[in-house]
Amino acid sequence: MKESKNEEVLFVGTYTDNGSEGIYRFHLNLGTGELTNQTLAAKIKSPSYIAFSPDKNSLYAVSEVNDYKKDDGSITTFRVKDTSFVYVEEQSTHGAHPCFVGVSNDGKLVAAANYTGGNVAVYNALENGNLKPSPQIIDHKVLDTTRKAHAHMSSFLNGELIVSDLGLDRIKKYTLSNGKFVPSNQKELVVAEGAGPRHFVSSNDEEFLYVINELNSTITMFQKEEGKYYGKKTYATVASDFEGESFCADLHLSPDGKFLYGTNRGENTVVVFKVDETNGNLELVGRESVKGNWPRNFTIDPTGKYVLVANQRSNNIVVFNRNAENGTLSFVSQVDLPSPVCLKFY
């Protein structure tokens, strides 16, 4: 439910070791691009990633901790009523430091990626959105004895569960069989050793998959051929003359699929690429300063007019106007908030 026709409602997950208390709600004025009416929507420990059910009646938030139970983080379910949250329950993610939660298109499955735990917990959701206990645990630690598994994103795409593992340099694919996820026909996508795949996004027709690699500051483009994805090209996200350390964070396509955006923590920029919708190739448009430090998660508002960036270390959220014709960004406004790391429109 929208507060008014000229506004969108934004929810922000934060780390709570720096003055924040949980999930915050803002109103984005679509006319001015300003964020107003900050309120604490839910008091919860370090909700570093949040996701709504498709019907927007439930919200799932992971707490990126390792002490909910011994070496476990947690996932909390909220009922959503008129953009307010009602606590339902909290349960274990069966792994330390969960950093992502994905929800299937039908709302029946919820997957939490445990970064330090190196595994994924897949829950069955009831019709009311509540999560059944005893999720399926997909353990990546058993896949490689020399490298440390770090599940970073768990998302549902075309009926499959896809998990990027930053430690294994793999994007693992699972398909549902007899109620359990098992390795898919194409069980994994491989990126360069040490690249550190973090987040991914598919084109609207699922023909192309783009993976942003945290550790070597690149984006890898995969193309689907006969139902399988094959790596085609890799693009640098930071400027060639940039000196110093930089780590990629998040990436999103514009609603029309014509531009791809990614965040660089260190260079502190949003990189902008134009997408060739025929072959999926990327052409660099430019980079825009995030007006802050350590841009983490970002989002594009539902109208496609604004890009909002969560700057974790400078404790601010910055709003940019997005030029729909050429993809470029221009600064509009900013608001202070301690350690913002996840932005989701309702």
Side-chain angles (χ1 to χ4, degrees), residues 64-316:
E64 194 172 327
V65 299
N66 64 352
D67 59 358
Y68 172 68
K69 292 181 177 175
K70 182 174 167 24
D71 297 328
D72 282 358
S74 69
I75 183 168
T76 300
T77 304
F78 294 94
R79 190 81 60 249
V80 185
K81 293 186 176 180
D82 295 336
T83 73
S84 292
F85 297 155
V86 179
Y87 171 88
V88 176
E89 63 176 352
E90 182 182 20
Q91 57 179 293
S92 173
T93 58
H94 301 270
H97 301 114
C99 58
F100 193 93
V101 56
V103 185
S104 62
N105 287 336
D106 61 7
K108 293 180 179 179
L109 295 166
V110 175
N114 293 303
Y115 181 82
T116 308
N119 62 12
V120 179
V122 185
Y123 304 83
N124 287 295
L126 302 170
E127 276 193 31
N128 62 4
N130 294 6
L131 300 182
K132 290 184 181 179
S134 303
Q136 178 188 358
I137 306 300
I138 299 174
D139 191 0
H140 282 187
K141 295 189 296 295
V142 301
L143 300 177
D144 194 312
T145 56
T146 58
R147 289 184 286 191
K148 195 170 277 189
H150 289 306
H152 213 309
M153 178 175 175
S154 49
S155 188
F156 298 92
L157 180 65
N158 195 25
E160 292 186 314
L161 171 65
I162 304 188
V163 181
S164 55
D165 195 302
L166 182 142
L168 303 184
D169 294 318
R170 300 287 191 273
I171 298 94
K172 309 294 287 187
K173 296 179 69 182
Y174 301 94
T175 190
L176 206 52
S177 176
N178 297 320
K180 293 287 183 183
F181 279 97
V182 298
S184 298
N185 185 20
Q186 182 184 21
K187 64 179 183 178
E188 65 185 15
L189 312 179
V190 181
V191 296
E193 188 164 343
R198 181 180 171 100
H199 281 192
F200 52 86
V201 65
S202 75
S203 57
N204 292 333
D205 59 5
E206 298 180 359
E207 183 73 18
F208 305 103
L209 189 74
Y210 300 94
V211 178
I212 196 162
N213 300 302
E214 175 177 330
L215 302 181
N216 71 356
S217 297
T218 62
I219 292 172
T220 302
M221 183 268 284
F222 293 84
Q223 184 171 5
K224 188 184 281 187
E225 294 175 8
E226 297 179 357
K228 296 182 178 180
Y229 284 107
Y230 295 95
K232 295 295 182 182
K233 293 189 176 181
T234 295
Y235 302 85
T237 64
V238 295
S240 58
D241 59 355
F242 173 75
E243 296 180 1
E245 286 193 316
S246 193
F247 303 92
C248 290
D250 196 14
L251 85 168
H252 294 285
L253 282 161
S254 59
D256 60 12
K258 293 181 178 179
F259 296 95
L260 181 68
Y261 300 85
T263 41
N264 292 308
R265 296 172 295 172
E267 190 186 56
N268 291 333
T269 59
V270 178
V271 62
V272 186
F273 290 98
K274 185 174 178 21
V275 178
D276 185 318
E277 295 174 87
T278 304
N279 58 26
N281 290 343
L282 303 179
E283 178 189 341
L284 179 67
V285 173
R287 295 173 182 84
E288 183 68 29
S289 166
V290 296
K291 313 290 186 192
N293 186 15
W294 221 248
R296 181 76 173 254
N297 185 230
F298 73 99
T299 189
I300 303 173
D301 88 280
T303 70
K305 184 177 179 181
Y306 297 106
V307 171
L308 290 79
V309 180
N311 289 318
Q312 180 184 342
R313 293 184 179 173
S314 54
N315 307 307
N316 65 334

Side-chain angles (χ1 to χ4, degrees), residues 2-20:
K2 299 288 183 291
E3 301 288 308
S4 80
K5 287 182 180 174
N6 194 42
E7 290 182 330
E8 293 283 354
V9 180
L10 177 75
F11 289 98
V12 183
T14 65
Y15 284 130
T16 54
D17 54 1
N18 186 36
S20 283

